[in-house]
Amino acid sequence: MESKFRTTELSNPEFESNNLRFITVKTPNLKGRGDICVFVPPMKNLKDIPIVTLLHGVYGSAWIWAHKAGVHFTALKMMELGILKPMVIAMPSDGLWGDGSAYLPHNSKNFENWIVEDVNNAIIENIDCTSTKSDLFISGLSMGGYGALRLGAKHPETYSAISGHSSITDITQMHLFVEEDEAFYTEKEQTETSVFDMMLSNKNNLPPTRFDCGKDDLLIEHNRKLHNQLIAQKIPHVYEEFEGAHEWPYWQEHIKKSLLFFNNINT
């Protein structure tokens, strides 16, 4: 298979640990290189298994889901208990623009296509237990939740289900976290910046969707608003609230909800 990337660097298995691999590819979408941390289940004879793209929030990068939440340990334990089927977890950087790219095209780089196209291609090219037959899922936290909900709704032909944790629901909430002016995110009159508007526009094709938020989270009212908007438009979804705030202990615990949600999707 001819690579879709000019250059690819893959970590050496001799030096890898805890079933994590690292991939760096050069892509026109970023006009440079992008990093992906990948959890690969250690089970034998796996083939065409699902790929879960897990997006990080502001300030973070490809390493953060693994090394602040231990998601690879969580997933492996669930698999060993037999409650989660084997799946690859792809944890890409957001493109590393400013405090966070929001996974939107802007400033001459297509951070959206980096996620929707490049990440999946990089995994399929380099991780043997995946293929073009693998089901694709997407989730994330905060800015990553925004990316997951928005991109999943915009590309229902790509993703089999979507999930968000403590999600930003519109680009107008980025100022709560970043120092960059929000105008940078909406250059060229970008209009597709509302999760609700995107879900409404693809109402009839929306993949199974869930999202949750902590009751003490600064984004709780935005998540409640999205939930109520979806109810008003009779758009099917699952929304849950739990104790907790905008913090890693919350995401470390509730990422299990996303993994089990994806696990139970019949595709």
Side-chain angles (χ1 to χ4, degrees), residues 27-168:
T27 166
N29 284 315
L30 296 181
K31 300 187 183 304
R33 289 160 293 141
D35 293 327
I36 312 169
C37 176
V38 191
F39 165 73
V40 183
M43 296 77 176
K44 303 295 185 182
N45 302 316
L46 298 178
K47 182 180 179 182
D48 306 330
I49 67 173
I51 302 169
V52 174
T53 297
L54 196 52
L55 304 181
H56 65 77
V58 294
Y59 323 136
S61 188
W63 61 270
I64 206 162
W65 265 108
H67 295 292
K68 298 245 345 181
V71 67
H72 52 312
F73 294 123
T74 298
L76 181 58
K77 182 177 181 180
M78 295 170 71
M79 292 174 194
E80 290 174 340
L81 290 173
I83 60 176
L84 188 70
K85 62 189 176 186
M87 53 183 65
V88 163
I89 301 178
M91 297 166 275
S93 75
D94 70 330
L96 302 180
W97 181 88
D99 280 329
S101 71
Y103 307 97
L104 284 167
H106 60 86
N107 289 277
S108 79
K109 297 181 181 180
N110 198 323
F111 303 103
E112 176 176 318
N113 284 350
W114 155 241
I115 299 299
V116 177
E117 298 174 2
D118 294 333
V119 170
N120 296 323
N121 286 330
I123 298 300
I124 291 169
E125 285 185 18
N126 293 285
I127 306 301
D128 290 341
C129 57
T130 68
S131 75
T132 55
K133 297 179 181 179
S134 295
D135 292 323
L136 305 179
F137 302 101
I138 189 166
S139 182
L141 66 89
S142 191
M143 179 186 76
Y146 170 72
L149 296 177
R150 179 183 165 276
L151 295 177
K154 185 176 181 180
H155 299 277
E157 75 288 349
T158 298
Y159 297 105
S160 297
I162 56 183
S163 178
H165 303 280
S166 314
S167 304
I168 289 173

Side-chain angles (χ1 to χ4, degrees), residues 1-263:
M1 175 172 53
E2 183 179 354
S3 177
K4 296 183 181 297
F5 306 102
R6 180 179 177 274
T7 61
T8 299
E9 288 289 342
L10 185 65
S11 56
N12 188 331
E14 180 183 356
F15 304 115
E16 294 169 353
S17 61
N18 298 317
N19 307 298
L20 293 178
R21 309 203 74 182
F22 289 87
I23 304 171
T24 298
V25 295
K26 186 177 183 182
T27 166
N29 284 315
L30 296 181
K31 300 187 183 304
R33 289 160 293 141
D35 293 327
I36 312 169
C37 176
V38 191
F39 165 73
V40 183
M43 296 77 176
K44 303 295 185 182
N45 302 316
L46 298 178
K47 182 180 179 182
D48 306 330
I49 67 173
I51 302 169
V52 174
T53 297
L54 196 52
L55 304 181
H56 65 77
V58 294
Y59 323 136
S61 188
W63 61 270
I64 206 162
W65 265 108
H67 295 292
K68 298 245 345 181
V71 67
H72 52 312
F73 294 123
T74 298
L76 181 58
K77 182 177 181 180
M78 295 170 71
M79 292 174 194
E80 290 174 340
L81 290 173
I83 60 176
L84 188 70
K85 62 189 176 186
M87 53 183 65
V88 163
I89 301 178
M91 297 166 275
S93 75
D94 70 330
L96 302 180
W97 181 88
D99 280 329
S101 71
Y103 307 97
L104 284 167
H106 60 86
N107 289 277
S108 79
K109 297 181 181 180
N110 198 323
F111 303 103
E112 176 176 318
N113 284 350
W114 155 241
I115 299 299
V116 177
E117 298 174 2
D118 294 333
V119 170
N120 296 323
N121 286 330
I123 298 300
I124 291 169
E125 285 185 18
N126 293 285
I127 306 301
D128 290 341
C129 57
T130 68
S131 75
T132 55
K133 297 179 181 179
S134 295
D135 292 323
L136 305 179
F137 302 101
I138 189 166
S139 182
L141 66 89
S142 191
M143 179 186 76
Y146 170 72
L149 296 177
R150 179 183 165 276
L151 295 177
K154 185 176 181 180
H155 299 277
E157 75 288 349
T158 298
Y159 297 105
S160 297
I162 56 183
S163 178
H165 303 280
S166 314
S167 304
I168 289 173
T169 61
D170 192 279
I171 199 63
T172 56
Q173 296 151 32
M174 282 291 287
H175 75 274
L176 297 170
F177 303 96
V178 305
E179 66 175 359
E180 286 78 23
D181 193 313
E182 285 174 1
F184 284 118
Y185 298 100
T186 55
E187 66 175 15
K188 300 179 182 178
E189 300 182 351
Q190 173 98 246
T191 58
E192 301 174 335
T193 59
S194 162
V195 169
F196 172 68
D197 289 347
M198 189 62 68
M199 289 185 171
L200 184 62
S201 67
N202 284 322
K203 177 180 180 178
N204 296 326
N205 298 308
L206 199 67
T209 300
R210 72 163 303 280
F211 58 106
D212 62 66
C213 195
K215 295 177 182 178
D216 295 320
D217 196 301
L218 76 167
L219 295 174
I220 185 64
E221 294 304 329
H222 297 296
N223 279 259
R224 287 170 176 168
K225 179 180 178 181
L226 175 60
H227 170 53
N228 289 327
Q229 288 174 314
L230 295 175
I231 289 175
Q233 292 296 324
K234 296 181 172 58
I235 298 176
H237 67 285
V238 175
Y239 174 64
E240 298 177 286
E241 294 183 3
F242 304 100
E243 298 300 325
H246 207 80
E247 56 192 4
W248 280 103
Y250 180 90
W251 303 317
Q252 180 179 354
E253 175 62 26
H254 296 292
I255 186 58
K256 299 172 188 175
K257 296 285 186 179
S258 288
L259 297 178
L260 290 172
F261 183 68
F262 298 152
N263 190 73

